[in-house]
């Protein structure tokens, strides 16, 4: 039987996290939140939330490792504690949390698949962020030789933990904003399929983004360079996947 938990990376996201946890409490699922080297005021808030919500486990990085590093800490903890699947959720209130039930339902049907949100944006999305996603979409289609991965940047997804742990044990994955892209492509290379569920994504007016335009775009560009050359040696396997039953 599948067992689910929620993993939330959090670096100084204080404005929305209490509301996020309150809404998630209706699901009666264990939550693992990773304090990724936040400042002292945030740490005090997180500690009080852990006291408020008995289903919340707080893990702490002494120094900031990046979103990807925090998510990986949460996934490893979830796997070590016997969960079969982990649901990645952002701490800033961007995601439509009532859609978690849809993600779980899809995962229960195909538990070996990654199940990811496919974003539906409203007018709050910054235009440059929206358009830049299509650059990554193009490269991911090249890197997988398929259109199977509709969106690789949405951090609202269900990971099958056995396959994910196997990947993390054999590869060092990106620790920052490149993580969401890399883990999805490499899981696909490993044989996983991806199911997409449409979901509303908003950019709150008071939201805080830790995306560093220069550094993270350079990191993502370097990631696509590595993945492109990784695709070249996998061409036979990727082409065979298209024709194999």
């Amino acid at each position: 039987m599948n067992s689910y938990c929620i993993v939330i990376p959090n670096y100084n996201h204080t404005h929305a996290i209490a509301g996020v946890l309150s809404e998630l409490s209706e699901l009666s699922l264990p939550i693992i939140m990773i304090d990724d080297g936040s400042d002292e005021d945030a740490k005090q808030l997180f500690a009080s939330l852990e006291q408020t919500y008995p289903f919340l486990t707080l893990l702490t990085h002494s120094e900031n490792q990046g979103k990807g590093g925090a998510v990986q800490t949460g996934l490893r903890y979830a796997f070590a504690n016997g969960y079969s699947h982990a649901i990645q959720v952002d701490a800033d209130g961007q995601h439509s949390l009532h859609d978690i039930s849809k993600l779980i339902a899809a995962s229960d049907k195909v538990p070996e698949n990654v199940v990811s949100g496919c974003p539906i944006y409203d007018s709050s999305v910054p235009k440059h962020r929206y358009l830049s996603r299509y650059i990554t979409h193009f490269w991911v289609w090249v890197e997988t030789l398929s259109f199977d991965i509709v969106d690789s940047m949405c951090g609202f997804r269900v990971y099958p933990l056995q396959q994910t742990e196997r990947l993390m044990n054999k590869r060092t994955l990106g620790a920052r904003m490149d993580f969401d892209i890399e883990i999805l492509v490499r899981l696909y290379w490993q044989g996983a399929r991806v199911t997409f569920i449409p979901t509303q994504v908003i950019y709150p007016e008071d939201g805080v983004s830790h995306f560093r335009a220069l550094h993270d775009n350079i990191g993502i560009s370097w990631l696509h360079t590595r993945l492109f050359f990784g695709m070249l040696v996998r061409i036979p396997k990727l082409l065979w996947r298209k024709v194999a039953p």
Side-chain angles (χ1 to χ4, degrees):
M1 184 174 178
N2 298 327
S3 55
Y4 294 86
C5 66
I6 294 170
V7 169
I8 304 176
N10 196 331
Y11 175 57
N12 287 329
H13 279 298
T14 57
H15 70 286
I17 188 59
V20 169
L21 292 174
S22 177
E23 188 171 351
L24 289 174
S25 67
E26 300 175 7
L27 297 170
S28 300
L29 290 174
I31 298 176
I32 303 160
M33 186 166 73
I34 304 87
D35 168 13
D36 189 28
S38 300
D39 62 30
E40 194 56 40
D41 288 343
K43 289 182 184 300
Q44 292 180 15
L45 172 63
F46 299 161
S48 69
L49 291 172
E50 188 178 29
Q51 293 298 315
T52 300
Y53 295 108
F55 53 79
L56 176 63
T57 297
L58 182 64
L59 307 179
T60 302
H61 288 167
S62 58
E63 297 181 359
N64 178 261
Q65 296 184 22
K67 176 185 178 182
V71 173
Q72 290 176 71
T73 292
L75 296 178
R76 289 190 181 279
Y77 182 90
F79 182 75
N81 282 271
Y83 296 102
S84 65
H85 294 77
I87 306 161
Q88 178 184 338
V89 174
D90 284 353
D92 57 5
Q94 278 193 325
H95 297 145
S96 184
L97 300 179
H98 66 268
D99 284 340
I100 288 178
S101 59
K102 298 179 184 177
L103 300 184
I104 292 175
S107 179
D108 279 337
K109 291 180 180 178
V110 279
E112 69 280 4
N113 285 20
V114 180
V115 178
S116 175
C118 183
I120 301 171
Y121 295 105
D122 62 13
S123 59
S124 66
V125 61
K127 293 297 184 287
H128 68 283
R129 294 285 294 274
Y130 181 77
L131 294 173
S132 67
R133 297 177 74 89
Y134 280 88
I135 299 174
T136 279
H137 294 347
F138 168 78
W139 281 112
V140 167
W141 296 334
V142 171
E143 291 149 8
T144 59
L145 297 183
S146 79
F147 296 108
D148 292 349
I149 296 181
V150 180
D151 186 287
S152 63
M153 300 185 77
C154 183
F156 186 42
R157 55 177 67 151
V158 181
Y159 292 102
L161 287 173
Q162 188 170 12
Q163 297 95 310
T164 304
E165 179 76 5
R166 185 165 71 248
L167 173 62
M168 292 190 297
N169 284 340
K170 69 181 182 182
R171 291 290 313 188
T172 299
L173 301 175
R176 297 197 175 273
M177 295 299 183
D178 51 351
F179 168 79
D180 289 334
I181 304 164
E182 182 172 19
I183 192 170
L184 205 56
V185 170
R186 291 195 181 278
L187 283 170
Y188 184 87
W189 284 353
Q190 190 172 271
R193 298 189 180 278
V194 188
T195 300
F196 286 93
I197 303 296
T199 186
Q200 190 76 37
V201 175
I202 63 170
Y203 281 75
E205 288 186 8
D206 58 349
V208 177
S209 173
H210 296 304
F211 187 88
R212 305 168 303 171
L214 177 61
H215 290 86
D216 287 320
N217 279 321
I218 289 173
I220 290 171
S221 296
W222 174 232
L223 167 67
H224 286 309
T225 301
R226 300 196 311 273
L227 292 178
F228 175 78
F229 285 103
M231 174 274 295
L232 294 179
V233 301
R234 293 173 173 84
I235 286 176
K237 181 178 179 181
L238 292 171
L239 292 179
W240 174 249
R241 181 169 177 167
K242 290 177 175 294
V243 299

